[in-house]
Amino acid sequence: MPQTVFPAAGTMFTPSGFSPHLASTCSEADPEEEESPKEARGPGACLVDGPPITSASLDTLIQHLVPTADYYPEKAYVFTFLLSARLFITPPELLARLCETCIKQQQLDQSPLDTAKVRKFGPKILQLLTEWTETFPTDFREEKMVGLFKDIIHRIAPCDEAYWKTLNQVLQTLNQKLAAIAQGDESIVKVNASSVSDKLVAFKTKPPPIQKDMLSICNDPYTLAQQLTHVELEHLSHIGPEEFVQAFVQKDPLDSTQQPCFSDQKKKTTNLEAYVRWFNRLCYLVATEICMPAKKKQRAQVIEFFIDVARECFNIGNFNSLMAIISGMNMSPVSRLKKTWGKAKTAKFFILEHQMDPTGNFYNYRTALRGAVHRSQTANSIREKIVIPFFSLLIKDIYFLNEGCANRLPNGHVHFAKFVELARQVGEFMTWKQIECPFETDRSILHYLHTAPIFSEDGLYLASYESESPENQVEKDRWKALRSNILVKTKELKEHHGS
């Protein structure tokens, strides 16, 4: 049976459960230590010849974002600043500042316009705003954002009517993206109480209820691993980069404002939270499938099946499903089934478990992840491009980066070196999430994964005790209490339906 202890599935993503040995990747002691300009190719690389920005006032950083007739900020800087600026200024306020500066610098409020100058500036402001809409489309859900966009183009359009055509194309693409995001929000299956069931735990002396199981839906490990990859990539596709910043936003004590930028609006981390629920659901689904069969031989067969599914997930590069399966098999109601584990062939499981061992800050996993990333970068097929990280660890890394460094330095400057590292981690994720799943969908399997009832923790323990009797007095007492509790619930349910 499994030995490695993993975090409980239900608390895997809460900051309080994060590994304390995960070191910060950023140091406040010497913010000037940075790569040389030639090496700084990631987000936040230098804007012009000279050292990369490590800290600056918010006004200075905004000024670096503003294009002119002869200057355009590096794409890496644009992503880094747009990602992190929302901690200090709301997107509408930032865009208003940007447009105000452009109008002043380019004298767009005067007549007549300098046509030659505007024609050099126009394509650059269009490019910047297009990048903004492509990378952070949800910022433009607010009408004010679109209004500011239209206003700045309206000012330069007299110099070239093509700007209107470009604006309309950008807005059309933006609306399509926002519609797809809205549809995705609606299509995400909300795992609620109706999918958590204890009534499926029938006492073994009675005929089992008619209930499908995974093996009756899909008995091929590779096929199930493919469908799990579909679910993972679907969830990833909906997560915007800004959600990683908004997930950990908090009041900066060095900020002179009284409230953080998100105090007047709900933190928009819906998709990130939905992905967390999916991970936890898969953990419990695996545990449910193992604990449900009445016979030891069947339970062992399910264990072996999920071991093979986990191995296929590893081969695909789907580390999140892999970890969810391992975590489900390590839940106490499953790991205590010694007779069942003794009948299963588990050599492959311990190899996979070793790959996801938390020792050394998940050294083995991080090594495997680097291998998958290299394969993706040199891939000859879409299948080889798939990289689905163990999401809990990605969140932990970002959390400790956020906790380990202040957003501002003591002199009030924005600690930009911190956000360069944040953008590097989020930017890497953005590359992975854009991969389209190459596998054909199987709707029956996907439907089962999303809707099959799962046991609660108490239901899992009860099923486990029914499968293999309690070994000590503590387990016997718990078993008795659980049986009594389930019988009371069943009686109440019958009375409710009868009334």
Side-chain angles (χ1 to χ4, degrees), residues 59 65 98 190 194 207 234-235 296 324 371 415 443 461 466:
D59 288 342
L65 183 68
L98 176 74
K190 299 291 188 289
S194 64
E234 176 69 16
H235 275 288
K296 178 172 56 178
H415 193 174
R443 295 196 177 280
Y461 270 109
E466 292 286 348

Side-chain angles (χ1 to χ4, degrees), residues 88-104:
F88 312 100
I89 183 172
T90 64
E93 289 172 334
L94 175 59
L95 183 54
R97 288 274 299 274
L98 176 74
C99 292
E100 181 184 339
T101 304
C102 287
I103 292 169
K104 184 177 180 181

Side-chain angles (χ1 to χ4, degrees), residues 15 33 70 91 129 153 202 251 308 338 375 383 392 495:
E33 281 191 12
D70 304 312
L129 295 177
I153 302 306
K251 178 74 174 103
D308 288 337
K338 295 179 181 178
R375 181 183 69 177
R383 293 188 181 201
S392 174
E495 290 176 351

Side-chain angles (χ1 to χ4, degrees), residues 388-399:
I388 301 173
F390 171 28
F391 199 64
S392 174
L393 196 56
L394 176 63
I395 293 295
K396 288 178 184 178
D397 287 349
I398 292 174
Y399 173 79

Side-chain angles (χ1 to χ4, degrees), residues 126-139:
L126 268 171
Q127 181 183 345
L128 178 64
L129 295 177
T130 299
E131 285 184 31
W132 195 335
T133 63
E134 289 174 348
T135 312
F136 301 94
T138 55
D139 287 351

Side-chain angles (χ1 to χ4, degrees), residues 354-398:
H354 177 70
Q355 288 289 342
M356 305 304 285
D357 188 342
T359 304
N361 190 16
F362 286 89
Y363 176 82
N364 294 339
Y365 158 71
R366 292 183 190 273
T367 301
L369 178 65
R370 283 196 299 271
V373 171
H374 177 73
R375 181 183 69 177
S376 178
Q377 292 169 344
T378 59
N380 295 317
S381 68
I382 298 179
R383 293 188 181 201
E384 294 177 335
K385 286 182 177 292
I386 296 172
V387 180
I388 301 173
F390 171 28
F391 199 64
S392 174
L393 196 56
L394 176 63
I395 293 295
K396 288 178 184 178
D397 287 349
I398 292 174

